[in-house]
Structures are given as C-alpha cells and as structure tokens.
Amino acid sequence: MEKAKAAAFQDNIKTAKKAARANARLLLKGLSAAEREEQSQKAAASFLNSSIYKSAECVAAFFSLPDEVDVLPIIARAFIDKKRVLLPRIVAGSNAMDFYELVAPLGLASDFVAAPVLGVESVSDNAAPVLQSLEARGLEAGPKSGDLIFGSPGLSDYSVLASALGSQTEANAWGIREPLPTLPLVSKDKIPARTVILVPGLAFCKVGRRLGRGKGFYDRYLSELLAANPAFAERGKICGYCMAVQVADTVPTEENDVRVQELFC
C-alpha cells in the first residue's frame, strides 16, 4: 500500500512538473526582445545593488540560453569589481557538473559603460582591474572562427567580454557554452565561503522553490556542495536568477530539489 502511494505521488509530481515546464516555456516564448531586455536589466540591477553581491568574493554564474535572463552584465561587473568568476561544465556522460574559474580580461569597464545596467552605478575606464592577461595564461586574445555563437541575448553589447569568453569556452553537445577543461577546476571543497551561486531555472516561487529543465544538474551539485563545504553552507548564498515572468505563485518540487535562498528578478 505504501509503495503504491509513493508511486502515485511520484507520478503526480512528474505530471505537475511537466505541465509547469510547458507553461513556463510558453511564457518565455511570448516575450519580445524588448521585454526580455527590460526584464534582464531589472534582474541585473536587483542583484548588483544587493548586499549579497557586494559582500561576495566569488560569483558562480551560468551561460544564458536564448530564452533565459542575460547574465553577461553580471559576469562583466564581477570582473570589474575584482571578484572571482566561475562557470559550470557538465561532466561528460553524466548528470554531474563542476565549476571552472575564468580569467579576467582587460578593458571590461568600457563594455559596461557602453552597455550600462539601468539603476546600477556606472564605472569608468580607470575602474577596470589590471589582472592577469589572457596571453599569460596561454589563451588566445580573441575567439576562433565560430566561437561567438552564444545564446546570451546581450552578447553583442559586450565586445571585450565576448572575445574573452570565446577563447575560454567551447560549445557542448547541446550547444551550451562551457569553460574549457584546461581552466582551473574549483572542487566543491574549495569553493570560497563568500560565494554567491546564481542558479538558472524555468520557474521559481518566492519561497525558494525552483523548477529546472529536468536533468538535475544543479540539484545534485548543490546538495553535494552543501555537504562537502561547511564554510560555504554557513556563509555562501544560493540565489535564483531569472526574469519576472518566471516567478510563479507555486512550483512543484520534490524532496531532493534544492531551494534557493534568495531570488533576483
């Protein structure tokens, strides 16, 4: 009897998640380019003006898919503010992933001035961090042919960052950009305590429930991270990052779905 109830519950949850994902995709598909840009700007301003961002040593971001919030302003500003920046890479043949650290390119302040985030303090060319150059790390200064095929909607506004990311990333089997495996891998126990992890998703609710795309990459990574890194568990932040249209009254979740602690949209 108990097994039958458990099986029925799982079937109901799977059905609810499938319906919620379909609804979220419809809402995202209905956004115009201008609406997507406006909502991305609001999300960026909300996050960049927050005490969570300002006190963070490290930002673990993600590459935006075409229907997701634009994360490039966050990556650019984090480099300008001399924060470490990590991006995820899927472990081949699994539902696991790891974070790798990017090299900060020079000249990003000019990108941020050219494509400012409304409501966020502007920066000058003098604010750009003088950090290790790409060449010093053995990386090309610019992208190879075809390297600038990104899903991020605002990439064309960030020419310096686009060049740097093109030479530090590659497309995986799904066409998603990932950091090169030659970049430094930051193991779970080495993630800095004051790291903010920006988590993508199809839908979120205000109490922290999150609906992903169904592969479980983030739920698995975050649960393992919290177990392996007590310092991060105590001082780090797991934040949902999305557009306002992706916030729902309720989101179907299961016991192993990790909740976000804050939501920026």
Side-chain angles (χ1 to χ4, degrees), residues 176-201:
I176 302 171
R177 305 298 302 190
E178 296 183 324
L180 294 173
T182 52
L183 291 172
L185 185 157
V186 184
S187 60
K188 296 178 183 72
D189 62 323
K190 298 298 183 183
I191 295 289
R194 291 188 295 113
T195 294
V196 55
I197 299 180
L198 295 182
V199 183

Side-chain angles (χ1 to χ4, degrees), residues 26 41 99 106 110 144 166:
L26 280 176
Q41 287 269 329
F99 278 95
L106 302 178
S110 60
K144 298 177 183 177

Side-chain angles (χ1 to χ4, degrees), residues 9-10 13 17 219 223 252-259:
F9 175 77
Q10 284 298 113
I13 286 291
K17 283 187 170 183
D219 290 316
S223 62
T253 57
E254 300 172 73
E255 186 177 345
N256 62 341
D257 292 332
V258 178
R259 292 194 185 194

Side-chain angles (χ1 to χ4, degrees), residues 100-175:
Y100 290 73
E101 185 167 359
L102 296 184
V103 180
L106 302 178
L108 276 176
S110 60
D111 271 359
F112 207 87
V113 170
V117 173
L118 297 179
V120 177
E121 182 182 2
S122 62
V123 296
S124 68
D125 288 336
N126 293 332
V130 183
L131 299 177
Q132 191 173 17
S133 68
L134 295 175
E135 289 81 0
R137 293 292 294 272
L139 298 170
E140 296 178 20
K144 298 177 183 177
S145 176
D147 267 346
L148 292 183
I149 306 174
F150 293 91
S152 301
L155 184 69
S156 61
D157 295 330
Y158 292 90
S159 59
V160 175
L161 183 58
S163 177
L165 294 183
S167 60
Q168 295 188 61
T169 65
E170 61 187 4
N172 64 17
W174 294 279

